[in-house]
Amino acid sequence: MLKLRLLLLVLVLGVTFVNAQPLIKITGVIKDDLKNPLPKVTVTVLGQNQSTISDESGAYSIYSSTRFFTLKYTLLGYKPVLQEIKRDKEGRIVQDISMISNINELEQVTITTRQNQLSNSSIINVSDVAAMPSASGNFEVILKTLPGVSTNNELSSQYSVRGGSFDENLIYVNDVEISRPVLIRNGQQEGLSFINSDLLSGAKFSAGGFEARYGDKLSSVLDVRYDKPDSSQAILNLGLQGGAFSSRILNKSSYLLAGIRYKNNTSVLNRQDTKGSYAPNFTDVQVVYHYTFSNKLTLGLLGNFNSGIFKLIPESRETQFGTLSTLLRLDTEYSGQEIDDYQTAGGAATVSYFPKANLVIKWINSYFSTLERERIDVEGRYVFNEVNNDFASGGFGTIKTNKGVGGYINYARNNLESHTFSSEIKADQDFGNHVFSWGLRFERKDYQDNLNEYGLIDSAGYILERGIQNFYQDNNISVKNKLAIQYYTAYAQDSYRVSAHSELLLGVRANYNSLSRQLLLSPRLLLAYRPLSNNKIFRFTAGVYQQAPDYRSIRDFNGILNKGQQAQRSYNSSIGLDYAFDGLGTRLKFVSELYFKYQDRLIPYMMDNVRVKYLARAEAKGYTYGADFSIGGEFVKDLLSYFRVSFMKANQDILNDGLGYLKRPTDQRVNFSVYFQDRLLNSPTYKVHLSMLYGSRLPVGAPLVQRYSADFNIPAYKRVDVGFSKDFLDDAGMRKPRFLDKYFSSFSAYLEVFNLLNINNTVSYLWLKDIDNVQYAIPNYLTGRQLNLKFIIKFKNSK
């Protein structure tokens, strides 16, 4: 640990010029104007890198490094409170606060903030994103530690929720539904996700049972906010995998958020089995602008451009696998290259109108355009051997038996162009004990798809006995598709305060689309009850969720469209408990939920890395049930840690195949995650951030089978990432470098070790046959152990 400290100290010049800083502890209780405690209030010391959140009883504690400072209390739906503090000396003070609701933020007051238990969503601690060690660097890494979410690929921003596919998740940014690329098939080809963590002000996530105001997907909702900043600020993020710069500019009647990001994960990909020249480059630019014309009219603008290119000139590959008794090795030589690229551009404009004190109306218009291309021309020549695994024989590591030689070809010239336009109007109105919400939305999606690809695997077929069939695998697709779909949706919901301790939300969505021409009705119910003890919340949800067909689900393996496909449907129910209590020296929160989903009109699919391939002409019914548990708290001051475990079973029965129920591709029975943070006892400015993930094995089917199968498994996913950080301007330290303290509000260095235990996790398989016509699954491994260094620098707030 001493070496680690010396390494971090050497990274910054001028650390010898330090001065002592006073330290003041502020505690108190925050209540609303009716004297009820307010949880989840953000308390910030302006001009310092210090913030906290009030607990379920409204209590908070925070530190200041100066004797003269200003505290800011913020909560969506309530007027911000600024409290100026002046002290003659260090010590402790008590500062209780009363906050008044803001009628111009009616939507957030009534739905998000006013007894947040009604939304059945988890509030994400966005400050954890920067510190969490992650090979991808994307915001979604924090989702993979939440209950109900499973994953088996650290390079991908895709995630599965409670047995659903990647395509069943909704993402909103400032009320705008976000469109994502379609073709990208592998985690290493994915670049920067849409969400810019440096611009975030808040996020919440629902793993099911979400209300009618959210769209027509089967699994989950991620609702992200880029809201008004506390002050103007600039943030610089530099690391071995890229960098980012963001700026927040606050004016009297407007604010601007802008960020640019660059990512190059060559250093990570170079550790994979396939050796060659990797050139993955990803860039993202995002802008948010908000202007207040008056207390009745505001305008919000969102713009984004995201570009990625993945280029690989493969040279060779060596993969060893097998058992203790049988060790196999695949050696491959390559020629050719692969180039995949995509560009996404789009934006949205939101007009918010407050005609009277209890009513808000929003008009949201958005447009996104995406161009995706795959250029693959790769030929491989391989030798498949059994290796001597006997130490006593003296020939350990030498070739024991040749299992075959052969080659394969992958060729693709695929282009997909998609355009999405939507226009939506929605309103929320407060009628005392009732809050009524409604919305109307029109959406049009246009697709132009040119598919031209083929592949061939010849596993030593020339020496097989005559009459043996299926010694090679091939596919040949040449299709041009053009499709336009219009969606018309409406929703209405009523949030009703039944009593002082319970609330009921009833809602319904209606959906009609020009493809399936179905009128879909989806009723939904949420009931929340808080007992007199005020430290427990019971929730019950029930509802119907229907996902209308889209281009991804109606395109089969051969590129042919099934335009007669019907909407997928899921009947969901859940019961949950949130329980806050004191233990282990801190305030802990225990969250649990049991759920059951019955589904019909399902479109079965198979997995190709992180690409979903639908059996577009098949239909299935299925069921998913499980339980999610998590517990967390600040075991160390201002550092949140949590543990979660999820159990699940997801089965489906493809109609008329005669096989009955089989496992769904996302049937990951057990998921366990830990995110733990700590400080060094003698040096509290040094922190440790530990992330551990475990996901049990996933079912997968072998090729050359003319039906869906789940008779093979990808091994359990096991991963440990650890990060060490030091903020040279941390308020926990009594001494700060004068130079840094003059220009920066935070100057943090991070040393991260990805895949600390160097576990070979499998993401997919390459299937080959030997000379005896026996089929083998050669694993495609994910990333190995890797070091990363990064800096996150926050400049002094502008006045």
Side-chain angles (χ1 to χ4, degrees), residues 177-190:
E177 186 175 340
I178 303 302
S179 298
R180 291 173 293 175
V182 173
L183 278 182
I184 304 304
R185 73 172 71 195
N186 193 307
Q188 64 187 13
Q189 299 169 6
E190 292 184 63

Side-chain angles (χ1 to χ4, degrees), residues 449-504:
D449 190 11
N450 294 326
L451 278 169
N452 184 12
E453 64 180 51
Y454 65 84
L456 170 68
I457 298 179
D458 184 353
S459 299
Y462 63 90
I463 61 174
L464 291 178
E465 295 179 10
R466 182 169 299 205
I468 294 180
Q469 301 298 318
N470 292 332
F471 61 84
Y472 67 88
Q473 310 159 35
D474 67 342
N475 65 288
N476 191 337
I477 302 173
S478 181
V479 176
K480 292 185 177 180
N481 293 323
K482 191 172 183 179
L483 182 69
I485 312 174
Q486 291 84 38
Y487 300 89
Y488 306 87
T489 58
Y491 75 85
Q493 67 181 44
D494 181 33
S495 173
Y496 174 54
R497 180 170 290 172
V498 181
S499 68
H501 304 286
S502 59
E503 288 200 16
L504 175 67

Side-chain angles (χ1 to χ4, degrees), residues 535-555:
N535 65 341
K536 301 183 186 71
I537 301 173
F538 295 92
R539 294 193 187 92
F540 173 76
T541 72
V544 180
Y545 296 82
Q546 304 195 70
Q547 184 166 327
D550 201 352
Y551 184 76
R552 297 188 72 163
S553 64
I554 69 172
R555 192 182 80 175

Side-chain angles (χ1 to χ4, degrees), residues 604 615 619-621 651-663 701 705-711:
L615 285 72
E619 183 178 323
K621 62 181 180 179
N651 281 6
Q652 66 181 8
D653 178 14
I654 300 178
L655 304 183
N656 303 318
D657 71 346
L659 298 175
Y661 279 96
L662 299 173
K663 298 176 182 178
V705 178
Q706 301 302 316
R707 59 169 177 81
Y708 175 84
S709 63
D711 48 9

Side-chain angles (χ1 to χ4, degrees), residues 538-592:
F538 295 92
R539 294 193 187 92
F540 173 76
T541 72
V544 180
Y545 296 82
Q546 304 195 70
Q547 184 166 327
D550 201 352
Y551 184 76
R552 297 188 72 163
S553 64
I554 69 172
R555 192 182 80 175
D556 65 14
F557 285 11
N558 297 317
I560 306 301
L561 303 184
N562 176 16
K563 296 184 179 180
Q565 190 178 98
Q566 300 292 288
Q568 302 182 80
R569 180 168 55 190
S570 180
Y571 301 88
N572 294 8
S573 62
S574 68
I575 184 169
L577 166 67
D578 292 4
Y579 176 47
F581 62 97
D582 294 321
L584 300 177
T586 186
R587 186 72 169 176
L588 298 174
K589 186 174 182 181
F590 172 74
V591 179
S592 62

Side-chain angles (χ1 to χ4, degrees), residues 574-709:
S574 68
I575 184 169
L577 166 67
D578 292 4
Y579 176 47
F581 62 97
D582 294 321
L584 300 177
T586 186
R587 186 72 169 176
L588 298 174
K589 186 174 182 181
F590 172 74
V591 179
S592 62
E593 191 163 37
L594 308 177
Y595 61 89
F596 177 80
K597 300 192 289 188
Y598 173 76
Q599 299 144 323
D600 62 359
R601 299 200 302 246
L602 286 177
I603 310 303
Y605 58 89
M606 300 175 69
M607 299 301 301
D608 176 12
N609 286 346
V610 294
R611 189 182 190 183
V612 177
K613 287 188 172 182
Y614 286 94
L615 285 72
R617 299 190 178 276
E619 183 178 323
K621 62 181 180 179
Y623 62 87
T624 303
Y625 61 85
D628 299 327
F629 305 94
S630 71
I631 188 169
E634 290 187 3
F635 299 100
V636 178
K637 177 189 170 298
D638 296 331
L639 296 179
L640 183 65
S641 300
Y642 42 86
F643 307 81
R644 66 96 173 175
V645 62
S646 298
F647 305 96
M648 180 193 68
K649 183 176 182 179
N651 281 6
Q652 66 181 8
D653 178 14
I654 300 178
L655 304 183
N656 303 318
D657 71 346
L659 298 175
Y661 279 96
L662 299 173
K663 298 176 182 178
R664 298 196 78 191
T666 51
D667 180 58
Q668 201 165 34
R669 298 295 175 87
V670 180
N671 269 275
F672 175 75
S673 70
V674 173
Y675 182 56
F676 185 78
Q677 302 183 91
D678 199 359
R679 298 177 187 265
L680 300 189
L681 288 177
N682 297 325
S683 302
T685 59
Y686 290 91
K687 303 169 190 172
V688 180
H689 316 275
L690 177 67
S691 173
M692 296 191 294
L693 294 173
Y694 171 84
S696 60
R697 62 186 188 177
L698 281 168
V700 64
L704 299 180
V705 178
Q706 301 302 316
R707 59 169 177 81
Y708 175 84
S709 63

Side-chain angles (χ1 to χ4, degrees), residues 77-133:
Y78 289 83
K79 295 180 179 179
V81 175
L82 294 176
Q83 183 67 46
E84 188 176 287
I85 304 293
K86 295 183 178 180
R87 298 287 292 179
D88 295 331
K89 58 182 180 179
E90 300 78 27
R92 299 186 178 187
I93 62 175
V94 176
Q95 186 66 56
D96 296 331
I97 292 294
S98 177
M99 300 185 71
I100 301 173
S101 62
N102 187 346
I103 58 175
N104 283 342
E105 295 182 17
L106 173 65
E107 176 188 2
Q108 290 83 359
V109 173
T110 57
I111 303 298
T112 304
T113 302
R114 194 188 71 184
Q115 300 191 13
N116 186 64
Q117 69 269 25
L118 196 61
S119 68
N120 201 43
S121 298
S122 301
I123 304 298
I124 297 175
N125 189 12
V126 297
S127 61
D128 285 343
V129 178
M132 184 171 289

